[in-house]
């Protein structure tokens, strides 16, 4: 019963001793439906034994001075049924992000946002966990104790649980960094709070992180569950230029060959520019599905102000009662490709002539 108001307060603090709070408004609300027709989740009926999720998205644009910044958010209402925290309902949820804004170009890692984390008891679970960094920096993962009101107020674990053993069982959560998959092998049903930080490094220096605090729900369903995964040849990095026609082909397959697989281009975080129109053709089928995404990048879209954007994909099957879901994002890097363009004075090649160009010359 976590409160999801129409606006939230985001706290900003910096190494330049600049601190402020920003009220950010909601732009969308979605009740995630993971169940087949006829199954009602707890989002629609509190008496339902099937869990559910309500996702609310908040968005704003903030200008930050060249410092290192910590951006944080806190919300009340941890689930009272969480087993690995002592008196879980007494704790808030606190997450933060770190951004070194003194770098010439820097973005914190994007954790592709699946709203659900479910696993099977006594089963080796594979859950997609994709992260992207627009600057192609090095990425690492770090588990941490779930936080309550600040970075220095961790929640307390229940007896027999700890940071190194947050779920029951001999095999604890770990990430396959090559294939970006999250693995669990829990030995008991229940709800378990976990927290993960994704850090990015440039030349060995920490320059950003994103945090994810989530509740793993361990079930004991009658049938196996496997999420559709991208085919091995799939790529989620793409380059475009102003005026360029683009076409991306993607395909997903399910290890349970009898399941039908469906793809949705659920949200395209592309810039609002005249002529930007992303369309998709989806071909669902048994065992696998494919999609073709096309658009033409507007000729007047400036790479200096829009250096990248995302196209989000949702893949799911028809494994009743729970439709197993995976979420992926295509990162589109937007660059100036015209070979006859000359930008006098643009030493750092960001298509803007400004005070940072002499620094690039010095380096």
């Amino acid at each position: 019963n976590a409160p999801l108001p129409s606006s939230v307060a985001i706290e900003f603090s910096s190494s330049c001793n600049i601190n402020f709070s920003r009220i950010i408004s909601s732009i969308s609300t979605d009740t995630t439906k993971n169940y087949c027709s006829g199954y009602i989740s707890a989002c629609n009926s509190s008496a339902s034994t099937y869990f559910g999720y309500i996702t609310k998205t908040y968005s704003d644009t903030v200008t930050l001075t060249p410092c290192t910044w910590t951006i944080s958010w806190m919300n009340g209402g941890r689930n009272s049924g969480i087993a690995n925290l002592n008196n879980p309902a007494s704790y808030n949820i606190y997450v933060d992000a770190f951004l070194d804004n003194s770098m010439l170009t820097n973005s914190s890692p994007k954790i592709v946002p699946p709203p659900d984390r479910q696993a099977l008891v006594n089963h080796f679970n594979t859950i997609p966990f994709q992260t992207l960094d627009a600057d192609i920096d090095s990425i690492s993962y770090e588990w941490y104790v779930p936080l309550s009101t600040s970075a220095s107020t961790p929640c307390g674990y229940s007896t027999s649980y700890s940071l190194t053993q947050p779920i029951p069982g001999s095999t604890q959560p770990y990430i396959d960094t090559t294939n970006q998959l999250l693995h669990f092998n829990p030995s008991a049903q229940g709800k378990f709070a976990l927290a993960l930080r994704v850090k990015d490094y440039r030349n060995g220096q920490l320059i950003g992180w994103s945090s994810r605090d989530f509740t793993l729900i361990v079930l004991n369903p009658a049938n196996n569950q496997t999420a559709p995964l991208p085919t091995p040849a799939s790529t989620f990095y793409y380059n475009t230029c102003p005026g360029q026609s683009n076409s991306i082909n993607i395909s997903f397959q399910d290890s349970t060959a009898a399941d039908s697989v469906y793809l949705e281009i659920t949200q395209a975080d592309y810039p609002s520019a005249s002529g930007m129109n992303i369309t998709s053709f989806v071909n669902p089928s048994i065992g696998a599905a494919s999609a073709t995404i096309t658009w033409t990048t507007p000729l007047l879209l400036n790479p200096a102000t829009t250096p990248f954007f995302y196209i989000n994909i949702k893949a799911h099957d028809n494994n009743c009662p729970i439709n197993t879901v995976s979420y992926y994002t295509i990162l589109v890097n937007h660059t100036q490709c015209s070979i006859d363009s000359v930008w006098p004075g643009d030493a750092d090649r960001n298509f803007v002539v400004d005070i940072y160009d002499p620094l690039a010359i010095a380096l």
Side-chain angles (χ1 to χ4, degrees):
N1 198 29
L4 291 173
S6 60
S7 61
V8 295
I10 308 296
E11 303 298 327
F12 293 80
S13 60
S14 75
S15 59
C16 303
N17 294 321
I18 302 174
N19 305 307
F20 63 93
S21 179
R22 181 87 166 198
I23 303 300
I24 296 182
S25 299
S26 168
I27 60 172
S28 68
T29 303
D30 176 43
T31 300
T32 303
K33 299 177 176 64
N34 277 22
Y35 297 93
C36 300
S37 178
Y39 292 89
I40 299 175
S41 79
C43 288
N44 305 106
S45 172
S46 59
S48 174
T49 58
Y50 296 96
F51 61 88
Y53 297 89
I54 298 176
T55 302
K56 190 178 283 285
T57 302
Y58 302 85
S59 181
D60 199 0
T61 301
V62 181
T63 300
L64 303 176
T65 57
C67 306
T68 58
W69 288 88
T70 299
I71 307 167
S72 61
W73 170 81
M74 185 182 69
N75 190 25
R78 284 193 184 271
N79 192 301
S80 60
I82 292 174
N84 64 338
L85 297 183
N86 184 27
N87 193 13
S90 67
Y91 294 117
N92 295 309
I93 300 171
Y94 172 92
V95 290
D96 60 16
F98 172 76
L99 179 69
D100 187 343
N101 201 41
S102 65
M103 310 294 291
L104 296 181
T105 303
N106 187 26
S107 297
S108 59
K110 175 182 175 66
I111 305 174
V112 179
D116 53 340
R117 296 294 189 200
Q118 59 201 39
L120 306 184
V121 66
N122 296 319
H123 183 79
F124 185 78
N125 296 268
T126 296
I127 299 175
F129 194 90
Q130 186 196 27
T131 57
L132 297 165
D133 186 75
D135 309 314
I136 321 297
D137 293 318
S138 299
I139 291 178
S140 69
Y141 300 89
E142 176 186 82
W143 296 100
Y144 67 95
V145 180
L147 302 172
S148 181
T149 57
S150 71
S152 58
T153 56
C155 300
Y157 282 110
S158 301
T159 303
S160 78
Y161 294 104
S162 65
L163 176 59
T164 57
Q165 184 145 359
I167 66 172
S170 58
T171 303
Q172 293 304 297
Y174 70 94
I175 294 177
D176 174 355
T177 56
T178 301
N179 298 304
Q180 294 196 313
L181 299 172
L182 186 58
H183 295 298
F184 301 96
N185 191 5
S187 61
Q189 298 181 66
K191 303 182 182 75
F192 307 94
L194 298 105
L196 184 66
R197 187 164 280 140
V198 181
K199 297 182 175 182
D200 69 309
Y201 292 82
R202 186 177 301 173
N203 299 322
Q205 178 183 349
L206 176 65
I207 59 172
W209 73 57
S210 295
S211 304
R212 177 59 51 85
D213 186 307
F214 60 96
T215 301
L216 176 70
I217 300 178
V218 181
L219 307 170
N220 186 24
N223 56 339
N224 192 11
Q225 299 172 351
T226 56
L229 297 176
T231 55
S234 300
T235 179
F236 293 92
Y237 289 90
Y238 188 82
N239 294 317
T240 189
C241 308
Q244 177 177 308
S245 298
N246 308 274
S247 179
I248 301 176
N249 296 313
I250 57 170
S251 59
F252 282 70
Q253 60 188 16
D254 198 316
S255 60
T256 305
D259 288 344
S260 296
V261 180
Y262 306 89
L263 298 181
E264 300 175 24
I265 311 304
T266 57
Q267 179 182 356
D269 298 327
Y270 51 81
S272 177
S274 177
M276 174 68 84
N277 182 28
I278 293 181
T279 61
S280 60
F281 173 78
V282 178
N283 180 31
S285 64
I286 297 176
S290 61
T292 300
I293 305 168
T294 59
W295 79 95
T296 298
T297 305
L299 185 62
L300 298 180
L301 192 63
N302 187 356
T305 55
T306 309
F308 63 88
F309 54 91
Y310 301 107
I311 300 174
N312 298 331
I313 301 163
K314 175 183 177 181
H316 65 92
D317 60 21
N318 63 339
N319 191 342
C320 294
I322 301 175
N323 299 137
T324 311
V325 184
S326 62
Y327 296 82
Y328 282 82
T329 290
I330 298 173
L331 170 62
V332 182
N333 280 303
H334 181 214
T335 59
Q336 186 62 257
C337 299
S338 178
I339 60 174
D340 61 352
S341 294
V342 178
W343 296 67
D346 182 24
D348 58 7
R349 296 181 296 176
N350 68 343
F351 308 105
V352 176
V353 179
D354 56 22
I355 62 172
Y356 295 109
D357 290 302
L359 176 61
I361 293 173
L363 291 174

